Amino acid sequence: MYSILIVEDEPIIRRGIASLIDFKSLGISTVQEVENGEQALEKIREEAPDILLTDINMPKMDGITLAQLVRTEYPQMRIIFLTGYDYVDYLLSAVKIGVEDYILKPVTKSEIEALLVKVVAKLNEEKRQRELLALASEEDSSSGTQHFEKLILEQLSNPNLALGELAKQLGFSTNYLSLLIKKELGTSFQEYVTQQRIQRAKRLLLSTDMKIYEVALAVGIEDMNYFSYRFKSIVGVSPKSFRSGAKI
């Protein structure tokens, strides 16, 4: 869920937007409002909302100046301008700043909702890309690990992957390999396998259109109920919620 700050010096418009839009249905859980650019900049520096919806013509600090400061300090923040027809020329400055979009007054509920749907979709995509990069980094960091760890990762899709079989492949006794894994990885063989399977499942959920049961099979878990249970116990949300972008 995301947050939005509404900046508008006309109370009727500001409160109308805050009260009429069903923000939660759009994936926005926190809605705050202020009446000028100075108050907005202070609030932004305190809480850094994900989306800024701001008027252009305001007392104390106009929307263009506010957006310029925000773009410098918070380059990832999504900025939307709310303005009247008399200030359309200012939108050229907005384009240079890199604002997300603009809405001309008088605004309608449907116009704001349609624009916010697009903005939230972009935020979700950015979040998905960050997750994928994080997962890729985790996988890269393990590329130089022990040979036994490499063998485990290569066989994650095998539902019959077992400590005894792995020990045979390496020429170790089962007890020795169990102790070695515990020493090197800080966890048991089974727990490590489960953790790695869930990590791979997260990547597949984010980067493919595979059905959830197909993801489970791809990481070596044939029981869908068990897969969902273990995924939620480790990640904090169900596979379906994770894919849809639920906050973890």
Side-chain angles (χ1 to χ4, degrees), residues 70-82:
V70 168
R71 181 57 68 227
T72 300
E73 296 182 30
Y74 305 91
Q76 301 305 314
M77 190 176 299
R78 297 290 176 172
I79 303 173
I80 304 170
F81 274 143
L82 178 65

Side-chain angles (χ1 to χ4, degrees), residues 107-130:
V107 299
T108 66
K109 179 174 180 286
S110 60
E111 286 176 331
I112 296 177
E113 288 179 339
L115 185 50
L116 289 176
V117 165
K118 291 194 298 183
V119 171
V120 169
K122 289 181 179 180
L123 287 170
N124 283 337
E125 177 60 20
E126 290 174 355
K127 179 181 177 183
R128 188 181 74 87
Q129 291 297 330
R130 288 195 299 272

